[in-house]
Amino acid sequence: MERKIVIKIKDLLVKNNISLRDLSRLTDIRHATLSELSNQKRENINFRHIKKIADALDIDDIREIIDLIDE
């Protein structure tokens, strides 16, 4: 069975009632990069981006941002 890493940007946006552009401003991560992460278009994950997202949204548990699912 294949497994896939999912970045849960869309869930975070809803939970925090913010837009992708707002998250971009809060994290200083390009809007296009966040969009690619949100749409699972990125092959590589930059852990500095994950840290910036966690810091901006006051997240202590990385599982709120990243998930590993069975395909």
Side-chain angles (χ1 to χ4, degrees), residues 2 6 16-17 20 23 26 28 31-32 35-37 40 49-50 55 59-64 66-67 70:
E2 285 278 322
V6 175
N16 291 281
N17 195 31
L20 201 58
L23 184 59
L26 289 171
D28 199 28
H31 180 270
S35 180
E36 289 173 355
L37 285 170
Q40 313 308 316
H49 290 165
I50 300 303
D55 289 345
I59 294 172
D60 295 323
D61 188 347
I62 195 169
R63 293 175 292 182
E64 289 185 51
I66 297 176
D67 205 358
D70 295 327

Side-chain angles (χ1 to χ4, degrees), residues 2 8 11 23 29-31 33 44 47 66 68 70:
E2 285 278 322
K8 301 187 284 188
D11 294 341
L23 184 59
I29 299 171
R30 290 181 37 239
H31 180 270
T33 300
N44 298 313
F47 283 99
I66 297 176
L68 184 61
D70 295 327

Side-chain angles (χ1 to χ4, degrees), residues 19-57:
S19 69
L20 201 58
R21 209 161 287 289
D22 292 334
L23 184 59
S24 176
R25 285 187 203 108
L26 289 171
T27 59
D28 199 28
I29 299 171
R30 290 181 37 239
H31 180 270
T33 300
L34 289 172
S35 180
E36 289 173 355
L37 285 170
S38 176
N39 292 309
Q40 313 308 316
K41 301 285 186 193
R42 285 245 160 165
E43 293 282 325
N44 298 313
I45 300 170
N46 184 329
F47 283 99
R48 282 177 284 182
H49 290 165
I50 300 303
K51 182 187 178 313
K52 285 182 175 186
I53 292 167
D55 289 345
L57 300 179

